[in-house]
């Protein structure tokens, strides 16, 4: 037989595109259209309905960037259409290639209730299944003219303050039509068979069976009368569509989903509307398709619907009760997990799961994080303590170098906790359920022979409208189809239960899920990151002192509502495109303003609590919120500083510069203003590598291959400029308590002023760097070449630390050329180590070199600032203050202590006398992470603590108030079985036993 395969396949594509698809909506009758431009920001629906509309024609231009245009569409169903299915096609000017990244609309009835969203693949509205003729249509479309910002080129359209005001879109089509059901079904038949056919091998007989059936169907279609011949064409396809799948075919659990970034190339306020549009589409689709299941994560997004669209929220609640609309994830937002602090990560689950429980009575069991940029090794324990049992991610398929070896596996965290995890082999969280993607999922699946199933999230995301009726049609046809994986629409938990049942002994992956991409997100938008870190610290302070005052001071009211509201604000801004710095300028401008407000409010809450505790008096009280005693002030207490070390001295250095000493450290700053010696006098050991200079600012070119704000590519290291030019150096403070040397440098269009301070009694050199940054596509680092042979570095992460190799033996290690650390990073050889501490920096790199003398230099660098131009062309421009410290001779325990001290400054209040701690712990390895009152408003005290050094610990928690019982709890403050909390001792203490890195939440019932 002659090979006519390519001819038939080409014929199919053309006939589908040019004849059959256009015939789905026939007999178009134009609707009457009028418009009203909303001034400024979006208006309430009632205002849009009541506006004065002006006539508007199809083809008219509309919509300046970030504007809202209301369209009123009216019309009458022709009498001759009686009994036919009638739909309106409302095309706002969509580009079918970019669902989610352009204009969108929401259709309302005249009474203000929403009907459905309008999107590139969802531009229709059903008028009647069986029209009566003469029916009147009157709808109002709230249309958002969001600019297209996906070209990865610098643009000022990412902020309403700098965007242009010319119209962006042209109204394409506003028609009433007859919906030709049989034609639509023929389209679905042909598309599924085309996709399946092209995935089968050219030596597969099944491919040719489909080809011959398609050829016959195309022969049966009269191109001049597609509606009249569609049924005959479909009859030719019945046999090939009825052939069942092989028994061994891969099984796919298809879960409707629409990943909506809570902010990214649009501001937060637009996400509120995107969520409403997509959710209205979903409940409407559920009305027509009872088999449809849709999973939605991010409690924040459902809370927005509750606040701004209460009528839609009630429809969603009903669908949740029916089991079709499925809350997943258990988190307030799909947050970043690398940089979020430990307590904040716990609160993501506390407030996320609490919302689902309070609003819907649902306990979510899965953690749904498809798109975050890597996953902390602390996550498995946090997941388990939240009452969750499954974890899903997708993003690691983006890794540039190494292919992740598993799709279904047990993920083991730093404490040994394991969580059952799935990484869908379809390699997308926005599947179209097309044959190419399903075939890829089956081929790519790494568990063949042990497991047989994977999960596929399907639907257009980011405001693209979610799953469509076409997706459901594909799922129906591929439920049991020869040559295709078996597709079943079902809830995520059903998939996880089946996957675990067949693969209980799945392989184990221990440690972080490091994304070999998007490493620049540890550094971009420094002020957003600083605002997050400061807010986390301020929340710790506010809760500790408010809880202490609530227990100790009669009449003091714990600010439950204020703290919860602020926490949710901070959690929202930890979303994985806000905190990582990968959103448009508008998002980060608002974030900076929000963090300022958060800071002022939390400082007010803290001061009010401290003032209530201090009482009337003129005595200076120093409040210590850090989890360790410092300067004689116990953790969680206040008093007068009692400890002082040797006085600090400063001398001129031979050859230029200064020598600072305090009896514990001796620091030499040379004539270039660089630290050439940091000598640990107690250990008789030098920290700075021979011939090296620490606190060396270095600048690199920074022009990654694609994702500007997201990425740094390894080749940035090929070129470096050491900033050694000196404008000025002077001693600005010299006294027995501290000495400060100020160094000023200019480079490019920027300046850096560094203040290096050595304090009495301290074993840290504190460095404050004020940078007026005006570079473009540059990367600023601070280098510390250390005289230590370290095979690995330790980086603080949530509730512990993670080790990473300093060598590059394998591609896995080489790929980690930029790493994330929280308050500290540590390098050591047996018996002696060095910590580098920071107040708001997350990005670091660690390299090793062998010197001519045979010694090893381990260089630790902090990533201070970047200057990418997309999506915010002014990223990080302006003034920054960055604080970090060098701690020679520090062990892990010292790093933990000093990291907290740097991030939790002392507060001075005048009052009557010392304030005793609300509670104490007698082992410094056990760190108190949070002290608060219980969420149920019952007055119990919640204490969250963890073992911080990676070893076992026994400690006694001693409350400074009467306690009737101490109960180990989960993150939602519910009792846990198998407690690590002992019974109360006669003096009221609580015995604790912790394994390495264990998180322990203790609920103290007050007498």
């Amino acid at each position: 037989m002659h090979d006519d395969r390519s001819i038939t396949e080409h014929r199919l594509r053309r006939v589908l595109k040019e004849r059959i698809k256009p015939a789905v909506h026939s007999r178009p009758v134009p609707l009457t259209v009028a418009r009203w431009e909303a001034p400024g920001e979006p208006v309430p629906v009632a205002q849009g309905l009541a506006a004065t509309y002006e006539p508007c024609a199809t083809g008219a231009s509309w919509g300046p960037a970030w504007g809202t245009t209301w369209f009123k569409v009216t019309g009458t169903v022709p009498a001759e259409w009686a009994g036919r299915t009638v739909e309106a096609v409302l095309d706002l000017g969509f580009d079918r290639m970019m669902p989610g990244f352009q204009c969108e609309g929401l259709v309302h009835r005249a009474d203000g209730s929403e009907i459905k969203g309008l999107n590139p693949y969802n531009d229709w509205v059903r008028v009647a299944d069986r029209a009566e003729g003469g029916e009147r249509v009157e709808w109002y479309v709230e249309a958002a003219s969001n600019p297209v910002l996906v070209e990865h080129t610098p643009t000022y359209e990412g902020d309403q303050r700098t965007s242009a005001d010319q119209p962006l879109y042209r109204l394409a089509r506003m028609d009433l039509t007859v919906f030709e059901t049989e034609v639509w079904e023929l389209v679905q038949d042909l598309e599924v068979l085309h996709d399946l056919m092209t995935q089968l091998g050219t030596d597969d007989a099944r491919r040719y069976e489909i080809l011959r059936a398609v050829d016959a169907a195309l022969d049966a279609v009269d191109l001049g009368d597609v509606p009249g011949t569609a049924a005959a064409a479909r009859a030719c396809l019945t046999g090939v569509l009825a052939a069942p799948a092989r028994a061994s075919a891969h099984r796919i659990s298809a879960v409707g989903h629409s990943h909506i970034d809570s902010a990214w190339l649009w501001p937060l306020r637009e996400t509120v509307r995107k969520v409403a549009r997509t959710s209205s589409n979903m409940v409407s689709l559920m009305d027509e398709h009872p088999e449809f299941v849709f999973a939605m994560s991010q409690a924040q997004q459902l809370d927005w619907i509750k606040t701004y669209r209460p009528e839609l929220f009630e429809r969603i609640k009903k669908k949740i009760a029916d089991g079709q609309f499925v809350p997943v994830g258990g988190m307030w937002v799909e947050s970043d997990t690398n940089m979020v602090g430990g307590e904040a990560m716990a609160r993501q689950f506390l407030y996320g799961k609490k919302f689902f429980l309070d609003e819907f009575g649902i306990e979510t069991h899965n953690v749904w994080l498809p798109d975050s940029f890597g996953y902390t090794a602390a996550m498995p324990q946090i997941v388990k303590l939240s009452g969750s049992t499954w974890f899903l991610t997708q993003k690691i398929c983006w890794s540039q170098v190494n292919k992740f070896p598993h799709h279904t596996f047990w993920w083991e965290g730093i404490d040994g906790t394991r969580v059952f995890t799935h990484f869908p082999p379809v390699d997308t969280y926005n599947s179209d359920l097309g044959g190419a993607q399903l075939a890829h999922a089956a081929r790519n699946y790494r568990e063949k022979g042990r497991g047989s199933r994977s999960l596929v999230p399907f639907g257009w995301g980011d405001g693209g409208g979610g799953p469509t009726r076409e997706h459901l049609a594909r799922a129906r046809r591929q439920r049991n189809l020869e040559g295709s994986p078996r597709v079943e629409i079902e809830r995520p938990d059903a998939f996880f239960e089946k996957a675990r049942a067949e693969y209980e002994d799945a392989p184990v992956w221990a440690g972080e899920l490091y994304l070999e991409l998007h490493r620049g997100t540890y550094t971009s938008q420094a002020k957003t990151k600083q605002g997050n870190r400061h807010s986390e610290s301020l929340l710790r302070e506010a809760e500790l002192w408010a809880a202490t005052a609530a227990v100790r001071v009669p009449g003091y009211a714990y600010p439950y509502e204020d703290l919860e509201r602020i926490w949710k604000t901070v959690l929202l801004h930890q979303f994985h495109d806000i905190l990582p710095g990968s959103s448009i300028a508008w998002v980060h401008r608002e974030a900076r303003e929000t963090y300022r407000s958060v800071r002022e409010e939390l400082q007010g809450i803290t001061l009010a609590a401290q003032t209530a505790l201090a009482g009337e008096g003129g005595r200076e009280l120093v409040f210590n919120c850090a989890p360790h005693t410092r300067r004689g002030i116990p953790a969680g207490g206040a008093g007068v500083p009692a400890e002082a070390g040797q006085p600090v001295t400063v001398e001129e250095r031979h050859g230029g510069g200064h020598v600072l000493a305090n009896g514990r450290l001796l620091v030499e700053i040379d004539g270039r203003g660089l630290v050439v010696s940091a000598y640990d006098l107690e250990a008789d050991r030098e920290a700075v590598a021979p011939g090296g200079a620490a606190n060396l600012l270095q600048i690199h070119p920074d022009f990654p291959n694609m994702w500007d704000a997201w990425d740094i590519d390894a080749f940035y290291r090929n070129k470096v400029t050491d900033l050694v030019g000196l404008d000025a150096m002077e001693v600005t403070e010299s006294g027995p308590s501290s000495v400060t040397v100020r160094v000023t440098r200019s480079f490019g269009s920027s300046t850096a002023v560094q203040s290096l301070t050595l304090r009495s009694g301290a074993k840290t050199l504190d460095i404050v760097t004020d940078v007026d940054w005006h570079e473009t596509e540059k990367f600023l680092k601070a280098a510390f070449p250390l005289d230590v042979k370290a095979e690995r570095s330790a980086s603080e992460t949530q509730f512990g630390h993670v080790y990473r190799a300093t060598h590059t033996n394998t591609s896995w290690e080489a790929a980690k050329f930029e790493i994330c650390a929280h308050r500290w990073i540590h390098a050591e050889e047996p018996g002696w180590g060095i910590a580098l501490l920071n107040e708001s920096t997350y990005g670091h790199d660690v390299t090793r070199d062998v010197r001519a003398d045979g010694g090893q230099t381990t260089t630790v660098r902090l990533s201070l600032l970047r200057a990418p131009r997309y999506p915010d062309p002014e990223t990080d421009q302006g003034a920054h203050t960055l604080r970090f410290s060098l701690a020679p001779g520090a062990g892990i325990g010292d790093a933990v202590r000093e990291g907290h001290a740097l991030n939790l400054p002392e507060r001075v209040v005048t009052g009557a006398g010392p304030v005793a701690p609300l509670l104490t712990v007698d082992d410094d390895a056990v760190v108190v992470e949070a002290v608060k009152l219980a969420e149920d408003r019952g007055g119990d005290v919640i204490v969250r603590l963890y073992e911080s050094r990676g070893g076992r610990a026994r400690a006694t928690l001693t409350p400074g108030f009467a306690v009737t019982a101490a109960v180990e709890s989960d993150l939602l403050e519910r009792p846990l079985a198998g407690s690590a909390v002992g019974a109360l001792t006669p003096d009221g203490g609580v015995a604790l036993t912790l394994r390495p890195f264990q998180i322990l939440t203790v609920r103290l019932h007050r007498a």
Side-chain angles (χ1 to χ4, degrees):
M1 182 181 292
H2 298 299
D3 185 1
D4 61 350
R5 175 177 49 83
S6 62
I7 294 174
T8 299
E9 290 172 0
H10 186 89
R11 177 191 183 193
L12 170 59
R13 287 190 288 270
R14 184 178 184 193
V15 171
L16 254 179
K17 178 181 178 181
E18 297 184 23
R19 292 294 185 270
I20 302 178
K21 283 187 176 180
V24 169
H25 289 102
S26 67
R27 310 183 192 185
V29 174
L31 289 158
T32 300
V33 184
R35 67 190 287 178
W36 173 69
E37 301 288 343
E41 285 295 276
V43 301
V45 174
Q47 185 176 344
L49 298 179
T52 301
Y53 286 76
E54 297 179 352
C56 175
T58 300
S61 59
W62 68 277
W66 307 116
T68 301
T69 302
W70 284 78
F71 293 104
K72 180 180 180 180
V73 294
T74 55
T76 303
V77 176
E80 60 270 25
W81 291 2
R84 304 297 298 269
T85 300
V86 177
E87 289 186 348
V89 178
L90 307 178
D91 186 341
L92 300 175
F94 296 123
D95 182 337
R96 308 284 174 184
M97 301 304 293
M98 294 187 297
F101 300 97
Q102 55 182 297
C103 61
E104 300 170 40
L106 183 59
V107 184
H108 302 82
R109 299 179 184 86
D111 64 5
S113 60
E114 83 291 326
I115 301 174
K116 67 186 294 288
L118 295 178
N119 315 93
Y121 291 99
N122 219 326
D123 61 357
W124 56 271
V125 182
R126 180 62 58 92
V127 176
D129 294 334
R130 292 179 60 82
E132 297 179 0
E135 295 171 69
R136 180 73 176 162
V137 171
E138 180 181 344
W139 295 327
Y140 295 79
V141 180
E142 180 188 12
S145 48
N146 301 328
V148 176
L149 301 175
V150 293
E151 294 90 349
H152 288 271
T153 56
T155 174
Y156 285 90
E157 296 298 297
D159 194 331
Q160 62 181 166
R161 296 182 178 182
T162 56
S163 58
D165 58 3
Q166 70 267 21
L168 300 178
Y169 298 99
R170 191 173 297 277
L171 206 60
R173 183 179 182 186
M174 293 278 181
D175 292 335
L176 281 178
T177 71
V178 172
F179 177 73
E180 302 289 356
T181 304
E182 201 69 16
V183 177
W184 183 86
E185 295 286 1
L186 176 60
V187 170
Q188 313 317 310
D189 292 343
L190 291 172
E191 286 192 333
V192 165
L193 291 171
H194 171 270
D195 288 356
L196 174 58
M197 178 170 57
T198 54
Q199 292 303 309
L200 297 172
T202 54
D203 57 353
D204 191 327
R206 171 66 168 163
R207 179 166 183 157
Y208 292 93
E209 289 175 0
I210 296 172
L211 186 75
R212 299 304 162 214
V214 167
D215 211 18
L218 296 178
D219 287 342
V221 174
D222 180 348
L223 299 186
D225 182 17
V226 174
T229 55
R234 293 194 69 205
C236 299
L237 304 174
T238 302
V240 290
L241 285 169
R246 294 188 307 171
S248 61
H250 185 65
R251 296 177 181 273
I252 284 175
S253 296
V255 179
H257 182 53
S258 181
H259 174 78
I260 302 179
D261 286 312
S262 287
W264 178 27
L265 302 181
W266 48 85
L268 287 167
R269 66 88 156 147
E270 192 56 30
T271 314
V272 175
R273 301 203 294 176
K274 284 177 178 282
V275 170
R277 297 175 197 125
T278 297
S279 297
S280 65
N281 280 349
M282 296 306 94
V283 293
S284 296
L285 200 59
M286 289 170 191
D287 288 340
E288 299 298 323
H289 299 275
E291 80 281 7
F292 174 47
V293 170
F294 176 76
M296 183 171 177
S297 66
Q298 307 194 67
Q300 170 69 87
Q301 295 188 357
L302 285 162
D303 191 43
W304 279 333
I305 296 175
K306 178 184 177 183
T307 301
Y308 297 104
R309 294 280 178 175
E311 76 290 342
L312 176 58
F313 189 71
E314 291 305 313
R315 294 175 67 195
I316 290 172
K317 286 182 72 172
K318 182 181 184 304
K319 296 301 182 183
I320 289 174
D322 292 342
Q324 286 187 270
F325 200 115
V326 184
V328 292
M331 298 175 71
W332 190 248
V333 295
E334 288 185 14
S335 75
D336 171 77
T337 78
N338 290 309
M339 295 170 284
V340 172
E343 186 57 27
M345 189 64 76
R347 301 303 176 93
Q348 287 284 355
F349 285 96
L350 168 63
Y351 290 119
K353 294 197 68 163
K354 186 173 180 294
F355 181 87
F356 295 144
L357 281 164
D358 291 347
E359 297 295 337
F360 314 122
I362 287 179
E363 172 91 17
T364 54
H365 295 290
N366 48 62
V367 179
W368 187 278
L369 280 177
D371 191 34
S372 297
F373 309 146
Y375 304 91
T376 170
M379 183 64 84
Q381 184 180 192
I382 297 170
V383 169
K384 184 175 180 180
L385 289 174
S386 75
S388 302
T389 50
W390 326 116
F391 186 87
L392 178 137
T393 176
Q394 185 70 75
K395 200 69 172 188
I396 47 178
C397 72
W398 286 42
S399 285
Q400 289 177 311
V401 180
N402 297 287
K403 187 176 179 66
F404 195 76
H406 313 300
H407 284 111
T408 299
F409 59 100
W410 288 96
W411 181 21
E412 181 179 306
I414 55 175
D415 73 311
T417 297
R418 293 178 179 178
V419 60
F420 195 73
T421 300
H422 184 62
F423 161 34
V426 71
D427 286 345
T428 178
Y429 42 81
N430 295 311
S431 174
D432 61 6
L433 292 186
Q437 291 182 355
L438 298 187
H440 174 76
R443 287 193 299 264
N444 190 40
Y445 183 59
R446 303 297 291 269
E447 320 305 326
K448 296 182 184 75
R450 300 300 303 276
S452 65
R453 61 184 69 245
S454 66
L455 185 147
V456 172
F458 70 92
W460 303 111
D462 280 331
T468 64
R469 59 188 179 186
E470 287 77 16
H471 293 143
L472 301 186
R474 290 171 193 164
R476 284 194 301 274
R477 286 162 173 78
Q478 296 170 106
R479 182 180 178 88
N480 186 17
L481 180 62
E482 183 183 354
S484 169
R486 296 177 186 268
V487 178
E488 183 175 1
I489 294 176
E490 60 183 349
R491 296 164 60 92
D493 281 354
F495 161 76
F496 276 104
E497 288 163 3
K498 293 174 184 177
R500 180 170 174 177
E502 74 170 3
Y503 204 14
E504 177 69 30
D505 60 343
V508 175
W509 179 271
E512 66 183 327
L513 298 176
Y514 179 90
L515 179 65
E516 297 171 355
L517 192 74
H518 293 358
R519 304 167 185 89
T521 58
Y522 310 148
T523 304
S524 296
Q525 297 287 359
K527 280 190 167 62
T528 298
K529 291 169 171 58
Q530 193 168 66
N532 175 74
R533 179 79 70 83
H534 289 180
S535 296
E536 290 178 343
S537 297
L538 288 165
L539 276 160
R540 174 196 176 99
E541 289 189 77
E543 287 187 333
L544 170 64
W545 301 122
T548 306
V551 172
R552 295 269 175 77
V553 180
Y556 177 86
Y558 187 83
Y560 289 104
E561 288 77 14
D562 290 339
L563 288 170
E564 179 173 334
R565 173 178 45 79
I566 295 169
W567 261 118
K568 287 178 178 177
T569 298
V570 173
L571 299 179
L572 167 59
H573 286 79
Q574 292 173 341
F575 178 74
H576 65 252
D577 276 308
I578 304 179
L579 178 54
S582 47
S583 288
I584 55 173
W586 188 346
V587 173
H588 291 290
R589 170 174 57 80
E590 288 190 334
R592 292 190 293 271
E593 295 165 358
T594 297
Y595 284 131
R596 277 194 290 271
S597 298
V598 164
R599 181 176 65 247
E600 291 172 3
E601 191 167 4
L602 288 173
Q603 286 174 338
I605 291 171
T606 297
L607 181 59
Q610 290 174 336
T611 301
L613 288 163
E616 297 289 337
R619 188 175 180 181
E620 182 182 271
L621 304 178
V622 180
F623 282 79
N624 174 25
C625 182
H628 307 91
T629 297
R630 58 179 170 184
R631 297 209 299 160
I633 311 301
V640 179
E643 294 182 356
Q646 292 186 23
V648 188
T649 62
V650 58
E651 298 177 354
E652 294 296 316
R653 178 180 177 274
H654 179 69
H658 305 279
V659 179
L660 286 60
N662 67 354
R664 303 189 73 191
L665 286 182
L666 188 148
V667 177
E668 292 188 39
I669 302 170
D670 72 3
R672 300 170 297 172
L674 301 176
V675 176
V676 293
S677 176
Y679 203 84
D680 179 354
L681 295 169
E682 296 171 337
D684 192 22
R685 177 74 186 261
E686 175 61 63
V688 180
N695 191 39
L696 171 64
L697 296 179
Q698 298 179 307
I699 198 163
H700 297 268
D702 185 16
F703 191 64
N705 284 343
M706 183 173 180
W707 301 87
D708 289 12
W710 293 259
D711 280 357
I712 51 173
D713 287 327
F715 53 73
Y716 87 88
R717 297 177 296 182
N718 297 346
K719 185 175 181 180
V720 60
T721 301
D722 294 341
L723 303 181
V724 296
L726 186 66
D727 294 350
M729 179 169 57
E730 60 180 328
V731 177
T732 59
E733 179 184 356
S734 179
S737 61
S738 65
V739 171
T740 298
V741 176
R742 185 169 65 195
V743 178
T744 303
R745 307 182 193 281
S746 299
F747 56 95
S749 302
S750 306
T751 58
V753 179
Q754 291 192 291
S755 298
L756 290 76
T757 300
L758 185 63
R759 305 182 195 281
S760 174
K763 207 172 178 181
T764 61
L765 175 66
D766 299 330
I767 302 165
V768 177
T769 302
D770 292 302
V771 185
D772 190 14
W773 179 248
H774 296 284
E775 304 307 302
T776 298
E777 295 168 351
K778 295 292 191 293
F779 193 8
L780 182 66
K781 292 232 175 195
F784 290 79
L786 307 175
D787 189 13
V788 60
K789 185 179 187 301
E791 299 301 313
R792 61 185 185 177
S793 64
S795 298
E796 188 189 37
T797 189
Q798 297 91 347
F799 303 106
H801 55 269
V802 62
Y803 288 107
R804 301 182 180 100
T806 60
H807 59 74
T808 56
N809 284 359
T810 72
S811 59
W812 293 88
E813 289 133 2
K816 296 181 181 180
F817 59 82
E818 184 81 0
I819 56 178
C820 183
H822 286 202
R823 287 166 288 216
W824 54 266
I825 188 167
H826 182 262
E828 69 176 352
E829 56 190 49
W832 195 80
I834 305 169
L836 198 58
L837 319 160
N838 74 82
E839 185 213 34
S840 60
T841 297
Y842 294 94
H844 298 75
D845 71 89
V846 183
T847 54
R848 62 203 292 259
D849 296 286
V850 176
R851 306 186 299 266
D853 64 4
Q856 178 180 309
T857 297
T858 300
T859 301
V860 180
R861 299 197 301 170
L862 297 95
S863 302
L864 301 182
L865 293 170
R866 299 185 66 215
R869 301 191 63 210
Y870 176 82
D872 176 5
E874 299 293 331
T875 300
D876 283 336
Q877 299 299 297
H880 300 268
T881 298
L882 304 165
R883 295 176 172 84
F884 43 92
S885 301
L886 177 68
I892 291 289
D894 301 310
V896 173
R897 182 184 65 253
E898 297 297 341
H900 278 97
L902 179 61
N903 281 266
L904 298 166
E906 298 169 338
R907 307 289 183 188
V908 178
V909 176
T910 57
V915 176
L918 186 62
L919 50 90
T920 60
V921 178
D922 64 358
D923 184 347
D924 272 358
V926 178
V927 172
V928 174
E929 178 77 0
V931 179
K932 60 186 287 289
L933 293 195
E935 292 293 317
D936 62 11
R937 312 302 203 251
D940 289 345
V941 174
I942 303 295
V943 184
R944 188 149 26 249
L945 34 78
Y946 68 100
E947 196 289 316
S948 65
R949 300 179 186 176
R952 295 186 181 274
R954 293 182 182 274
T956 300
L957 169 66
T958 304
F961 54 95
V963 171
T964 60
V967 178
E968 182 179 358
S969 303
D970 67 6
L971 298 183
L972 274 68
E973 302 170 7
R974 303 172 298 194
L976 277 177
S979 178
V981 176
L984 295 176
T985 63
D987 60 355
V990 183
L992 308 176
T993 303
L994 288 87
R995 66 178 184 274
F997 297 131
Q998 182 178 359
I999 304 166
L1000 194 59
T1001 302
V1002 182
R1003 184 175 188 132
L1004 299 173
H1005 294 277
R1006 292 165 57 191

